[in-house]
Amino acid sequence: MDGGTPNFKTWNIIYPVYINSKKTIAEGRRISATKACENPTALEIGDCCGHLKIPFAIEAYPRDFMQVGRVRVLLKRPDGSPHNPLITSKKQLMIRIAELVPRHPGRVKKQEAAASASNAAAPSKSGKGGKKKR
């Protein structure tokens, strides 16, 4: 390609479903459910890649209707050396991202808001429910 323009088409792709603990292997999960995280987004994955000092690009792509987006990552430099010496494969990267996503700042705020909302009193359903007899 020209000078400094990277060729994104050769970069590895990570879809959020690859590390989603709510999905099955048949639905696209690539790592074990115990190591995966719950409902990651492409933005969270991108932020984790930035934290790990790995070049990334977030793309809008509707593979899964509910999970819009995918992340392209560049694991190795043109000379073949990894950008992060601790992460040399795509699987290692997915496992590391799945560890970081639950601690993502946006996710922590959402969990705190959900915890305070669940503590509020929920209206109780009274009555038998069921069919009335004549």
Side-chain angles (χ1 to χ4, degrees):
M1 301 258 346
D2 309 339
T5 307
N7 186 3
F8 292 115
K9 293 193 184 254
T10 61
W11 292 21
N12 290 317
I13 298 175
I14 297 179
Y15 291 95
V17 71
Y18 287 178
I19 60 173
N20 190 347
S21 62
K22 297 287 187 182
K23 299 290 182 181
T24 64
I25 296 285
E27 291 173 327
R29 183 171 39 84
R30 297 265 180 111
I31 60 175
S32 69
T34 57
K35 294 180 181 178
C37 59
E38 190 174 321
N39 299 323
T41 64
L43 294 173
E44 291 170 341
I45 293 171
D47 288 344
C48 292
C49 289
H51 176 73
L52 296 169
K53 309 273 190 283
I54 294 176
F56 69 96
I58 298 174
E59 296 180 325
Y61 186 79
R63 180 176 184 180
D64 184 0
F65 182 71
M66 297 305 289
Q67 294 283 341
V68 178
R70 64 183 179 188
V71 181
R72 287 191 184 260
V73 294
L74 183 62
L75 292 175
K76 297 184 180 178
R77 294 184 175 95
D79 65 353
S81 64
H83 279 279
N84 186 336
L86 300 175
I87 299 170
T88 57
S89 70
K90 186 174 175 180
K91 188 158 191 158
Q92 286 178 340
L93 177 62
M94 288 189 290
I95 290 170
R96 188 71 181 114
I97 289 172
E99 292 171 358
L100 291 174
V101 166
R103 295 182 283 177
H104 187 271
R107 186 168 282 232
V108 172
K109 290 176 188 173
K110 288 179 192 174
Q111 289 174 350
E112 289 173 359
S116 64
S118 67
N119 291 340
S124 61
K125 192 174 183 182
S126 60
K128 284 183 172 178
K131 193 173 184 181
K132 292 184 179 181
K133 294 180 181 180
R134 292 182 178 185

mmCIF file of all heavy atoms in Angstrom, residues 1-8:
data_model
loop_
_atom_site.group_PDB
_atom_site.id
_atom_site.type_symbol
_atom_site.label_atom_id
_atom_site.label_comp_id
_atom_site.label_asym_id
_atom_site.label_seq_id
_atom_site.Cartn_x
_atom_site.Cartn_y
_atom_site.Cartn_z
ATOM 1 N N MET A 1 0.830 -1.177 0.000
ATOM 2 C CA MET A 1 0.000 0.000 0.000
ATOM 3 C C MET A 1 0.881 1.249 0.000
ATOM 4 O O MET A 1 2.092 1.184 0.089
ATOM 5 C CB MET A 1 -0.922 0.028 1.214
ATOM 6 C CG MET A 1 -1.857 -1.141 1.359
ATOM 7 S SD MET A 1 -3.578 -1.006 0.913
ATOM 8 C CE MET A 1 -4.012 0.634 0.711
ATOM 9 N N ASP A 2 0.275 2.412 -0.016
ATOM 10 C CA ASP A 2 1.007 3.675 -0.034
ATOM 11 C C ASP A 2 1.566 3.981 1.353
ATOM 12 O O ASP A 2 0.871 3.848 2.340
ATOM 13 C CB ASP A 2 0.082 4.830 -0.425
ATOM 14 C CG ASP A 2 -0.694 4.547 -1.678
ATOM 15 O OD1 ASP A 2 -0.248 3.679 -2.436
ATOM 16 O OD2 ASP A 2 -1.730 5.190 -1.896
ATOM 17 N N GLY A 3 2.798 4.403 1.425
ATOM 18 C CA GLY A 3 3.455 4.923 2.619
ATOM 19 C C GLY A 3 2.906 4.442 3.948
ATOM 20 O O GLY A 3 3.088 3.310 4.332
ATOM 21 N N GLY A 4 2.212 5.323 4.694
ATOM 22 C CA GLY A 4 1.772 5.016 6.041
ATOM 23 C C GLY A 4 0.366 4.459 6.142
ATOM 24 O O GLY A 4 -0.124 4.214 7.226
ATOM 25 N N THR A 5 -0.326 4.267 5.026
ATOM 26 C CA THR A 5 -1.686 3.762 5.079
ATOM 27 C C THR A 5 -1.668 2.257 5.336
ATOM 28 O O THR A 5 -1.161 1.501 4.516
ATOM 29 C CB THR A 5 -2.431 4.030 3.751
ATOM 30 O OG1 THR A 5 -2.336 5.410 3.443
ATOM 31 C CG2 THR A 5 -3.881 3.623 3.871
ATOM 32 N N PRO A 6 -2.198 1.794 6.479
ATOM 33 C CA PRO A 6 -2.184 0.359 6.764
ATOM 34 C C PRO A 6 -3.228 -0.379 5.924
ATOM 35 O O PRO A 6 -4.261 0.185 5.569
ATOM 36 C CB PRO A 6 -2.534 0.290 8.246
ATOM 37 C CG PRO A 6 -3.266 1.548 8.527
ATOM 38 C CD PRO A 6 -2.753 2.577 7.560
ATOM 39 N N ASN A 7 -2.942 -1.626 5.613
ATOM 40 C CA ASN A 7 -3.862 -2.458 4.856
ATOM 41 C C ASN A 7 -4.733 -3.227 5.861
ATOM 42 O O ASN A 7 -4.362 -4.297 6.327
ATOM 43 C CB ASN A 7 -3.090 -3.416 3.949
ATOM 44 C CG ASN A 7 -4.009 -4.205 3.048
ATOM 45 O OD1 ASN A 7 -5.220 -4.003 3.052
ATOM 46 N ND2 ASN A 7 -3.451 -5.105 2.279
ATOM 47 N N PHE A 8 -5.908 -2.664 6.206
ATOM 48 C CA PHE A 8 -6.774 -3.253 7.225
ATOM 49 C C PHE A 8 -7.292 -4.624 6.823
ATOM 50 O O PHE A 8 -7.637 -5.415 7.680
ATOM 51 C CB PHE A 8 -7.962 -2.327 7.516
ATOM 52 C CG PHE A 8 -7.584 -1.056 8.198
ATOM 53 C CD1 PHE A 8 -7.757 0.168 7.577
ATOM 54 C CD2 PHE A 8 -7.042 -1.068 9.469
ATOM 55 C CE1 PHE A 8 -7.409 1.342 8.213
ATOM 56 C CE2 PHE A 8 -6.692 0.100 10.115
ATOM 57 C CZ PHE A 8 -6.872 1.313 9.489
#
